């Protein structure tokens, strides 16, 4: 039997595709992605904590939520550090394996997030239709607030440091995956996915669909939000600012 896992990630890092692939291969229960976001299925834990600040109540609720060890994709920049700490505590006690999914090109991730927020194109057929309208000139996105985008980059760097400390405090050795290493080169990505599958105790040969599922995840799921960058009034300007800032930021995670 394989281990349950948590994918600790941030928005616009390819987490939905990777989590969906691993969930399909695993025998553990599934739960809606990002369940602790305030508007999601377990968001009441986050919302109650924000009101009551009762750590014991939060831990009891977390233990109940994870009792059957569901698979979790968690965007850890959204809930508070206390919720993340409680999740790490309870999940580690329950034998979860921890996966960190990040993106080497943080400027591209921030841009992708800002473009999604500006256009409301978060993925799927809706995104394809919105992109087509933007490229055709029948829809014009609003300019992005550059100051907010830069501030969010700083915020996410701090949250990465928080996550590293959590892993250290709970004596965990996560499997670190970078977006580009999975999706940029399909053959290398396939090898990396296999190592990740084995990390959580799954045997690829147990599922006859394995090769097809991996091919689908690596080759057909990309959104390519950067194709509309030049159609956003200040998109290229923001890209240049983020690239310059990225040059001075340290690399936080070392890939496995």
């Amino acid at each position: 039997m394989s281990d349950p896992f948590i994918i600790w990630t941030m928005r616009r890092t390819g987490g939905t595709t990777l989590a969906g692939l691993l969930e399909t291969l695993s025998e553990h229960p599934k739960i809606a992605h990002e369940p602790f976001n305030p508007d999601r299925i377990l968001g009441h834990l986050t919302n109650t904590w924000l009101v009551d600040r009762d750590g014991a109540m939060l831990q009891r609720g977390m233990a109940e939520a994870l009792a059957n060890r569901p698979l979790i994709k968690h965007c850890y920049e959204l809930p508070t550090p206390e919720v993340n700490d409680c999740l790490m505590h309870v999940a580690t006690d329950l034998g979860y394996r921890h996966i960190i999914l990040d993106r080497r090109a943080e400027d591209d991730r921030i841009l992708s997030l800002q473009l999604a927020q500006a256009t409301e194109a978060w993925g799927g057929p809706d995104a394809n239709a919105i992109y087509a309208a933007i490229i055709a000139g029948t829809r014009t996105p609003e300019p992005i607030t550059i100051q907010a985008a830069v501030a969010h980059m700083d915020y996410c760097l701090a949250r990465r440091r928080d996550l590293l400390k959590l892993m250290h405090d709970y004596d965990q050795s996560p499997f670190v995956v970078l977006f580009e290493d999975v999706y940029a080169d399909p053959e290398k990505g396939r090898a990396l996915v296999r190592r990740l599958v084995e990390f959580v105790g799954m045997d690829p040969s147990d599922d006859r669909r394995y090769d097809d599922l991996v091919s689908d995840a690596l080759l057909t799921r990309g959104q390519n939000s950067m194709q509309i960058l030049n159609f956003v009034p200040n998109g290229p300007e923001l890209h240049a600012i983020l690239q310059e800032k990225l040059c001075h930021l340290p690399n936080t995670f070392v890939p496995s």
Side-chain angles (χ1 to χ4, degrees), residues 33 48 109 120 123 134 140 142-143 171 182 192 203:
H33 289 176
T48 300
R109 189 188 72 82
E120 299 183 348
I134 291 171
T140 301
E142 294 294 323
D171 195 27
V182 175
L192 180 56
D203 184 348

Side-chain angles (χ1 to χ4, degrees), residues 92-230:
T92 300
D93 283 350
L94 289 172
Y96 275 75
R97 303 301 296 268
H98 298 286
I99 300 165
I100 295 176
L101 173 63
D102 203 4
R103 194 162 176 168
R104 185 178 284 108
E106 174 67 350
D107 56 328
D108 287 349
R109 189 188 72 82
I110 296 291
L111 276 172
S112 180
L113 177 61
Q114 295 295 322
L115 290 170
Q117 291 173 333
T119 63
E120 299 183 348
W122 291 96
D126 288 344
N128 293 334
I130 291 171
Y131 285 2
I134 291 171
I135 293 170
T138 59
R139 178 169 179 163
T140 301
E142 294 294 323
I144 294 169
T145 304
I146 290 178
Q147 184 177 3
V150 171
H152 189 67
M153 180 181 273
D154 289 333
Y155 170 81
C156 288
L157 177 62
R159 299 310 294 268
R160 287 182 176 89
R161 291 170 176 158
D162 291 344
L163 182 60
L164 277 177
K165 185 177 185 303
L166 268 185
M167 293 291 175
H168 178 269
D169 290 348
Y170 286 92
D171 195 27
Q172 294 301 301
S173 298
F175 192 107
V176 177
V177 188
L178 298 182
F179 171 92
E180 292 84 355
D181 295 340
V182 175
Y183 298 107
D185 183 325
E187 289 309 309
K188 291 181 180 179
R190 187 179 293 275
L192 180 56
V193 168
R194 187 178 186 91
R195 288 175 52 214
L196 179 55
V197 166
E198 292 171 348
F199 171 76
V200 296
M202 293 189 289
D203 184 348
S205 64
D206 288 343
D207 195 319
R208 290 180 296 178
R209 305 168 299 163
Y210 178 80
D211 288 335
D212 290 338
L213 290 170
V214 174
S215 294
D216 179 59
L218 297 184
L219 300 176
T220 69
R221 298 289 179 170
Q223 187 173 333
N224 189 21
S225 58
M226 295 295 284
Q227 65 182 299
I228 62 168
L229 177 65
N230 292 333

Side-chain angles (χ1 to χ4, degrees), residues 45 48-61 86:
L45 296 177
T48 300
W49 162 256
L50 289 172
V51 173
D52 296 338
R53 298 286 171 170
D54 187 331
M57 181 185 297
L58 176 62
Q59 185 159 336
R60 287 195 299 272
C86 187

